Each structure stands twice: as C-alpha cells, then as structure tokens.
Amino acid sequence: MPRPRTHDPDIVLDAVESLAVVSGPASVTTRAVAAATGVSNGAIYHTFGSRSELLGRTWLRAARRFLALQTALVDDALDGPGKRDGVDAVVAAAEAPVAFAEKFPASARLLLTIERDELLGEAPESIATELADTDKVLVDLMIRLSRNMWGRADRRAVDVLNLCLVDLPTAILLRRNRFTNPPAPEQLRAAVRAVLALGPPP
C-alpha cells in the first residue's frame, strides 16, 4: 500500500519552475528542490520517481495551464456573451501568451522561454504520451480555427494558423521579452489580422 502524501505536489512543481527560469534547467536537482520546499528527497522521489519525471510533470503542468487558458479565450470569442468572429478568435488565441504571463508568470517563463528539449532532453517514457497529447491539443485548436475561418483544415490552411499562433507571438513577444511593452500586443494583433486577410493558398 503506497504511503500517503504529506505535501502538496504543486509546491514542488512551483520550486522546479522557479529554479529552472532563474538559474537554468541544470540547477534543478532533487537536493535543490528539497532545500527550496522543505520536502525531503525521499518524499520527492516517492511522488515523482526521478528527476526526469519531475521536470516532465513541471512542463506538463505549464503546458496544460497555457492550453486551457488559450482554449478558453477562443471559446469566449466564438461562443461567449460578446460573440465575435473567427478573426477575433484567432487574435485572442495569438494573444494567449500575454494573458498567460499575467496569470502564471513562472509557468509562462518556463514554457515560453525555455526550449522543451533543453529542459527535458529525451522525454521519459512515463510522460511521453502525455506530452504528445498536449501537442495534439494545439493542433486540434488550429484545425478548429481554420475550419471556422475558411471551412477547410488542410495543411496549408493550418499552417497559416501556426504562423499566427506560434511564429508571430514568438517573434514579436518572446524573443525580446516584450510582454510588458505596450506596443507589442498591438503589433501582434495587427500582424495576425494582416496574415488572416491574405488567407491560405488555394
């Protein structure tokens, strides 16, 4: 019979996030996490199994938080009280990193500024499927938006959504850490609208 948990796993994941974004992924050791949380090495291993699992769970939590927020923004744009059009829904999805950084600053810095491969290396088998599932959520959201915009979900159409939701936010917001730079979100909105106005190739 497994021993009952005597700590909140989120406290441990919070410490991993903080260590990774402040001092880099290499700083995340079980000893460092134990020192930051007061949770024993043994309790951390009992809950997470290994350092790789611990890093993977931290990444997954951040990714799920982001995708839940992004999906909620799209749902609100398409189906909420102030129902808007497909363009506004894509813009809302593209702006999700800004809202995410405000709501979950440490998770945002982890997810948006550290490459997943840099943090995880080769994903542990125990969480590889879950990591793939988070990737699928984003692809499914882009397919949904593409169908809403153009009534199609082929590769070329979805690639336009990838440009709007991944490439443009990365270039405008992430590379220079311009989340709090007032013109940046406006520039992002304008860029997304311009790309959508062109639409996908036939």
Side-chain angles (χ1 to χ4, degrees), residues 10-201:
D10 278 329
I11 292 173
V12 175
L13 300 181
D14 288 343
V16 174
E17 278 185 344
S18 180
L19 287 165
V21 301
V22 171
S23 303
S27 70
V28 181
T29 64
T30 306
R31 181 174 294 181
V33 174
T37 60
V39 178
S40 70
N41 286 2
I44 293 171
Y45 275 118
H46 177 73
T47 302
F48 296 100
S50 68
R51 177 179 180 274
S52 295
E53 178 91 10
L54 178 60
L55 290 168
R57 291 292 162 199
T58 304
W59 181 271
L60 278 169
R61 185 183 68 163
R64 286 167 175 160
R65 282 175 168 176
F66 175 76
L67 291 167
L69 185 150
Q70 187 176 52
T71 300
L73 291 172
V74 171
D75 289 344
D76 184 63
L78 292 179
D79 304 314
K83 190 173 180 179
R84 292 163 283 165
D85 63 17
V87 172
D88 285 336
V90 177
V91 171
E95 288 186 293
V98 176
F100 186 52
E102 292 174 355
K103 187 170 185 179
F104 299 108
S107 290
R109 288 182 66 190
L110 179 82
L111 191 65
L112 303 175
T113 64
I114 299 177
E115 293 288 340
R116 186 166 81 180
D117 289 347
E118 180 187 357
L119 184 72
L120 303 183
E122 187 174 340
E125 186 177 344
S126 55
I127 63 167
T129 300
E130 293 177 68
L131 289 169
D133 287 344
T134 63
D135 295 338
K136 185 176 183 300
V137 170
L138 178 58
V139 172
D140 287 347
L141 181 65
M142 290 190 286
I143 289 172
R144 174 188 173 191
L145 290 167
S146 180
R147 285 178 173 151
N148 182 272
M149 284 287 301
W150 305 298
R152 52 187 277 199
D154 55 276
R155 182 182 59 80
R156 289 184 173 185
V158 173
D159 188 58
V160 173
L161 272 299
N162 189 73
L163 175 62
C164 292
L165 270 58
V166 179
D167 297 338
L168 287 175
T170 298
I172 295 172
L173 298 175
L174 304 184
R175 284 183 183 156
R176 297 186 181 181
N177 193 23
R178 300 173 70 217
F179 287 100
T180 58
N181 185 347
E186 294 179 18
Q187 292 165 345
L188 175 62
R189 287 191 289 271
V192 169
R193 290 182 183 278
V195 168
L196 294 177
L198 290 174

